[in-house]
Amino acid sequence: MNNNKVTKSGLALAVAASMLAGSGAQAAVEVYNQDGTSFSVDGYFNAFYVNRDDKVADVRNSDIKMGFLPNTIGFNFSKDMGDLTLGGRSSFWTTINDSLQSPTDTSIDVRQLYATVDGDFGQVLIGKDFGLYARSNIFLDELLMGFGSPGAATGVSFGNIRAGYPYPNPSAQITYRSPDMAGLKVAAGILEPANTTPGAGSEQSAPRFEAELTYSADLQGLSLSGWLNGRHQSSENATTKVDSRGIGYGLKASVAGLSVTASGFTSEGDVPVLISDGLLASEEDADGYLLQGSYTQGANRFVLSYGETDSDQGGFETENTSFAVFHDVNSNFKLVAEYNMFEQETKPTGATAVDADTLAVGAIVTF
């Protein structure tokens, strides 16, 4: 995306990371680029045939659904103002999973709507974007462009959310990102806090704080990426106070087509799926990890993935094992075949709540 620094975050980074493109840029259609002002459009479209065998309910379903990433249209803006570059991005995410449930009422989810100011000092972002906590955990997931663990039989898939990492909720925020300091980058921001203690007298007297530290290096052909991110917020009502905090971390190493990734998180008082208003929380613990290996040979990428989450918050244990093959027909067209084995047990009884095997075969078009 020429002369457009807004690709440092959001879908562009997510898609680029999942395609192992490391540069943080995504192909886009440039509509205008004159006199220091540019405007471009990018898109992500996908559909999967999904066959799910639910062993607990003894039910098998076949569906045509989108993968873990919804179908998306994004608009990017950039204007050179001398020492500063002003930018912006708005992206519109929509589902195809509601085909028969609400055939004329497909909802649009605006996950990104922000402006950026770039200079020698780094970047300041104002608006709505993905959070920093668990950001690299999910954006560097080898299965980001696949299907992952199933949600409800007719709902969205969850990727490895609840099976290795939580979701970096898109939130209103003011975030600072440092320049690249020999591979080291720092990001920190204040975000809209979640009301995790609904009820009389509920209040959040301070914003949610999130930060991420990332480092990348190339050591004679061995590419290394590491990250550490975190979140803290407080919410209280007349009778209860909940301090929510979490730490995410990970390391990725790649050499000669082989890539190995290990990531994890630990949290207290933080819902290990997503944090949101009205979702009652308690100061219970949760943790999880994700181990992945991939090998790229020509146009094919083979992925093996295993993740777990153990949560006293909500009382569940989950694990997801995935095998996937990604085939690049060309730079904008990809085919995917994936098999997932997902299990969820209820704590403390150990009763199996979900035991589902899912085959997903799909196609992805990007521009």
Side-chain angles (χ1 to χ4, degrees), residues 292-308:
Q292 297 183 314
S294 72
Y295 181 69
T296 301
Q297 185 176 39
N300 300 305
R301 182 165 62 94
F302 305 90
V303 178
L304 173 62
S305 174
Y306 177 81
E308 287 188 8

Side-chain angles (χ1 to χ4, degrees), residues 5 84-88 115-119 121-126 177:
K5 297 181 180 180
L84 300 177
T85 299
L86 306 182
T116 54
V117 180
D118 284 86
F121 56 86
Q123 181 193 81
V124 175
L125 178 149
I126 56 173
R177 288 177 171 83

Side-chain angles (χ1 to χ4, degrees), residues 158 161-162 165-169 270-275 316:
F158 280 4
I161 296 172
R162 72 176 177 168
Y165 51 68
Y167 182 53
N169 296 57
D270 194 74
V271 180
V273 179
L274 74 164
I275 188 169
F316 66 86

Side-chain angles (χ1 to χ4, degrees), residues 210-242:
E210 297 194 8
E212 183 172 56
L213 178 70
T214 60
Y215 180 75
S216 60
D218 193 318
L219 307 176
Q220 298 181 338
L222 174 63
S223 297
L224 294 175
S225 298
W227 63 92
L228 178 69
N229 48 55
R231 163 193 290 166
H232 180 273
Q233 77 146 60
S234 294
S235 182
E236 61 182 306
N237 59 27
T239 60
T240 305
K241 180 179 180 181
V242 173

